């Protein structure tokens, strides 16, 4: 119980951390209100995920011989991983956001999927190859893959679509050698918007797949 309390406290403190985002086209770092929303939304789900299943993943990976990070090594490890992801993903349309010691990759649906489809488009394969390359190099992280939609259409349909899209991304990464034991895949449908669904620009921001990387510590 003490361990779970500490994990929950860490997740709560993460909400208050500064959010920095690497612009997906220029490579410049900036603080973004949208990024803060995306990070908070992802972490809200992750907080429950850590309490419910995080220990199982950690135990499985540590049991498989993947060492856990501790102390100052955590921040340094995530710094290096963030830098490599930002370099690999510059110009792809995927943003790299840091929230505390977690990293969030935001993949807009317009560069990842065809309209109303759940299979990754071939033009995005090279981007996911770059993501897989870094994830395989930095294997001391847990991977949460989250699917999100806008509020257009039926809520239950959107939930299923978000789950299938997140699973497609996860399947592609495992096909490129990323250890599936590190992953949890969740579809949130339209429940975690980061922008106003009343505008087309807002809806476009809400249609996304996020990959959250959490240090194995």
């Amino acid at each position: 119980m003490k361990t779970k309390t500490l994990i929950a406290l860490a997740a709560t403190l993460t909400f208050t951390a500064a959010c920095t985002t690497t612009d997906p086209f220029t490579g410049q770092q900036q603080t973004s209100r949208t990024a803060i929303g995306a990070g908070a939304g992802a972490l809200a789900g992750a907080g429950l995920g850590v309490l419910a299943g995080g220990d199982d993943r950690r135990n499985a990976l540590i049991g498989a011989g993947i060492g856990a990070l501790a102390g100052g090594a955590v921040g340094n490890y995530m710094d290096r991983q963030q830098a490599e992801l930002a370099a690999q993903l510059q110009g792809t349309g995927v943003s790299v956001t840091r929230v505390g010691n977690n990293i969030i990759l935001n993949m807009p649906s317009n560069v990842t999927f065809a309209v109303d489809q759940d299979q990754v488009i071939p033009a995005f394969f090279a981007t996911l190859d770059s993501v897989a390359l870094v994830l395989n190099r930095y294997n001391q992280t847990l991977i949460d893959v989250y699917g999100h939609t806008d509020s257009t259409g039926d809520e239950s349909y959107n939930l299923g679509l978000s789950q299938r899209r997140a699973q497609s991304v996860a399947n592609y990464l495992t096909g490129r050698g990323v250890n599936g034991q590190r992953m949890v895949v969740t579809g949130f449908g339209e429940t975690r918007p980061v922008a106003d669904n009343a505008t087309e620009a807002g809806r476009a921001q809400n249609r996304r797949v996020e990959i959250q990387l959490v240090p194995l510590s």
Side-chain angles (χ1 to χ4, degrees), residues 5-6 8 13 34 51 60 65 68 101 105 113 117 119 129 134 139 142 144 158 162 174 176 185 205 207 212:
T5 301
L6 290 173
L13 291 174
T34 299
L51 292 177
N101 278 325
L105 308 181
F113 302 96
Q117 299 298 307
Q119 296 302 306
D129 288 343
V134 178
N139 66 345
L142 304 178
D144 296 304
N158 288 338
S162 69
T174 56
R176 291 298 183 270
V185 179
Q205 291 182 59
R207 298 188 295 267
Q212 179 178 241

Side-chain angles (χ1 to χ4, degrees), residues 34 106 108-110 149-152 193-208:
T34 299
N106 188 331
S109 67
N110 66 305
T149 68
D150 62 28
S151 62
T152 304
V194 294
D196 187 356
N197 273 309
T199 68
E200 176 50 42
R203 290 191 294 272
Q205 291 182 59
N206 292 331
R207 298 188 295 267
R208 67 200 190 278

